[in-house]
Amino acid sequence: MLPFKVTQQSDGSIGIHVQYLGEEHVFSPEQITAMLFTKLKDISETALQTIVNDCVISVPSYYTQAERQALLDAARIAGLNVLRLFNETTATALCYGIYKQDLPAPDSHPRNVVFVDCGYASLQVSICAFHKGKLKMLASTADSQLGGRDIDSILAEHFCKDFQSRYNIDPHTNPRAYIRLLGEVEKLKKQMSANSTMLPLNIECFMDEKDVHGEMKRADMESMCAHLFKRVEQTLRQCLEDSKLKLDEIHSVELAGGSSRVPAIKRLVEEVFGRPVSTTLNQDESVARGCALQCAMLSPAVRVRDFSVTDIQPFPIKLTWDPTQGEDGEMQVFGQNHPVPFSKMLTFYRSSPFTLTATYNVQPSHFPQTLIGVFTIKNVKPTAEGELSKVKVKVRINLNGILTIASASLVEKRELTQQEKEEEEKLQQQQQQQQQQQQQQNNMDVDHSADKKDKPDQEAQANEPPAPEGDDKNEDGKGKKKVPVRTVDLPIEVRGFGLAQRELDAALEKECKMIAEDKQEKERVDARNALEEYVYDLRSKLSDDDQLATFIAEPDKEALCRTLDETENWLYEEGEDCQRQVYSERLTRLKSQGEPIKERRMEFEGRGQALEELGVALLLTTKAVHEIKASSGKDDKYAHITEEEVEKVEKTLHEKWKWLEEKRASFASAHRTQQPQVTIAQIRAEKQLLDNIVLPILNKPKSKVEPPKEEKPKDKAGEEQQKSKQNSQSSDSGGHPQTNQQQPVEDMMDIE
């Protein structure tokens, strides 16, 4: 069904053949997925205007450890830090529950909600128990080979046979035509969800220049896909059985996924669970929104209200080993739908290194292997007495749903030296202090203590074989002195799925190299497009009299147009695949001819306004000078401006008027095709020079008159003398009091 070439590699993996930069390359699925992640990362960074590093990635709940590890490897190649692989079922439940304000209290019966997620590629059904501030997945069942694309494939096969009999064409022989047919039948399927009448399917120029036509109604589609809907019913009933819930214990049924809009699937859900379906979730975005919420909950930079999430493990997992001392040799460590994350502590008695093999207890329907990984515990040796050593192995399923051997330690019995005894005593004292502090904290926060008990992370003794004689268990409680023990961490060798570090580094280096090449290619294409755009733009403006045609002489215009035509022909012939520098150099040469023409036009259009601004400034200044001269000796409004300053302003006015008249005369006689002798920038510089000289003089503030100081009256004669002096000053000023406010030159002139 894949429209691209796929081959098997020497290590048994898949190789995908891709045409890249004119050459055929073979990439692994991890590398292809990393390319998609790189593109998504680039889109996100462009939209958010920030760097994207941390993320949460959703996975189908039925993914095995090998698939989850491959997804993590792809994210590492793309430079992403995955905070968590989040099951799609749990993401949908989180999107539903975190916004609900009416969830039951923790000490009451939970709200059990069924989520049916039927998407394009798979069907996932889950049942979740909600309390206020927490959710717990109860069961999850999936059919990994059942989705919207299976319905599309059945419809496409029907029309292939129809077209082959009526039009004598086989879409299977043309991958492009078959993909186009899949797209059309998907549209038809969506139309049938809302309409039960006969609906047409029309494709123009489908194959061999032939237009094809077909038709179908909803009843025909449901009869052809009856076996698929039967599998949907089986999956729904299996999930209900795994949850061990009765129908009356289910609160509601929520639909998600685009294919859940098919009426036949809706009817099946209502029949199995005995209640109408609810569509309060965004069926296309609920998983993405749940991942965004989980990412915010894991981020220290975003504040989200507390909401506990307990996920489950879809497949039972067992460990096998070489049996000794009458052991069984295997153990189911985690059952189906077991809570995660979770840890268990296993105890073994060995005298040499041993191997643990982790496998799924059932065969996944979509994956050919049950093997999870092989873990070898090294450096195990017998005790000093030659007995079996006690080895503790911590088995853990982490947030990503991946099984790991978190640690392995050897428990040794031996006499401690004096220094080790002192260190042991100090350590015990520190532990006692920590326990006391923890006890105080627990007494202050009872709820926190209760939450801690409910944590899924626990340690448990599991499958402990019979202890040999002389074990330290027999020494306790019999009056014998307790032998001190210490734990020694043991190295663990892991053989499982996923890329080795060397392969990861090589893939990351290749990805970075391709990103750099893509950047160079983008710069090359941008340079070519810029040259092509400049050719078209300049040529269209040269042919328009209102644009550039009148600003270039006719011979020069003809020569430049020939150059533009030659550049266009070169672009579509030998210049199709040149380096960025070649395009940049040609663009620079063209701009050296075209930009002066654009500058002449800009100067011509903006020159009148610049000259007018300078002329207005000169007129206003001239008017202000006349007012100063006219009021001399009559009004003291301009008394603070000296004659020397007035002469300086008049001299500047004379010079600027003369300069302005000369330039106006030169502009009147100059032709548009000539480069202007004076630019707009120079005209505005002259105006700025005028303002710098004139405005400080005309806007000069008057000198402040200090108010009379208040003095304590020594005698009445002094007070009367002071009052008479002030009255005489007031009469000298014409009866008008002086003011300290400065009146700018614009206020004295009628600008309108």
Side-chain angles (χ1 to χ4, degrees), residues 232-243:
V232 171
E233 182 180 1
Q234 292 173 352
T235 307
L236 296 173
R237 296 192 182 281
Q238 183 65 47
C239 185
L240 181 62
E241 181 182 344
D242 293 343
S243 68

Side-chain angles (χ1 to χ4, degrees), residues 53 72 124 151 167 223 225 293 315 318 323 425 430 484 512 570 572 638 642 648 672 743:
N53 290 319
L72 289 175
Q124 300 177 75
I151 299 176
Y167 299 100
S223 63
C225 301
L293 289 168
F315 304 113
K318 70 176 181 180
E425 290 176 358
Q430 292 177 358
C512 293
W570 174 83
Y572 294 109
Y638 305 107
T642 63
K648 183 178 180 181
R672 289 187 179 188
Q743 187 176 11

